[in-house]
Amino acid sequence: MIHIITPDICDAYPEIAVLEPIFVNFGGLEAFCGPIRTVKCFEDNSLVKQAVAEPGDGAVLVVDAGGSTRCAMLGDMVAEQAVGNGWAGVVIYGCVRDVDVLAETELGIQALGAHPRKSEKRGEGSRDIPVSFAGVTLSPGQWLYADNNGILVADEQLDLER
């Protein structure tokens, strides 16, 4: 089991990208890491649902929801599906809902906040493209490391034993 302590990672890798501190931890896992896969969508979580229905293989789904605080892009059922399909975590530049259930889910989840309204379902958006928010561009294949101290992005998997 890898222990993810983002302050220690920053000390060992001072060049690592750090997302602006705008995210809140909602998941049952306080720390998580994995290769990045991306979804870009606005107030429509169709592609989020599509992504977590596929094998995650320990990846982190990064969702650029445009920073919207008008609806949730992830709820309890989608989170449970992500767990069942082997995703390590989800980072959402947007909101989540069902926060009491999410806190008991074995998934890393960080988002801007909570909103009770569900998103639209129009099938709009893009997958597996670079996305930019919180002062960082995140690309598929990069590695994301997150805990209650923050979210980091590296170009490749880091040696956390050094």
Side-chain angles (χ1 to χ4, degrees), residues 18-31:
V18 180
L19 275 67
E20 294 167 355
I22 57 176
F23 294 90
V24 177
N25 195 344
F26 290 98
L29 298 180
E30 292 189 354

Side-chain angles (χ1 to χ4, degrees), residues 1 68 103:
M1 170 99 185
S68 174

Side-chain angles (χ1 to χ4, degrees), residues 51-157:
V52 301
E54 299 168 359
D57 300 321
V60 175
L61 185 63
V62 173
V63 180
D64 180 354
S68 174
T69 56
R70 298 190 302 199
C71 67
M73 300 298 287
L74 178 85
D76 59 349
M77 294 187 300
V78 175
E80 286 294 338
Q81 188 170 31
V83 171
N85 286 325
W87 290 84
V90 183
V91 173
I92 301 177
Y93 185 51
C95 292
V96 297
R97 68 185 200 161
D98 304 314
V99 297
D100 296 329
V101 177
L102 295 183
E104 301 297 321
T105 304
E106 288 295 308
L107 184 69
I109 303 168
Q110 293 212 20
L112 298 179
H115 197 292
R117 179 171 286 126
K118 68 181 178 178
S119 78
E120 296 293 324
K121 310 286 187 282
R122 297 181 303 268
E124 297 175 355
S126 301
R127 286 185 61 185
D128 302 318
I129 62 167
V131 296
S132 297
F133 55 82
V136 175
T137 297
L138 304 96
S139 297
Q142 289 180 312
W143 274 69
L144 184 142
Y145 298 84
D147 67 6
N148 288 326
N149 294 292
I151 301 173
L152 313 175
V153 177
D155 287 335
E156 56 193 26
Q157 185 175 11

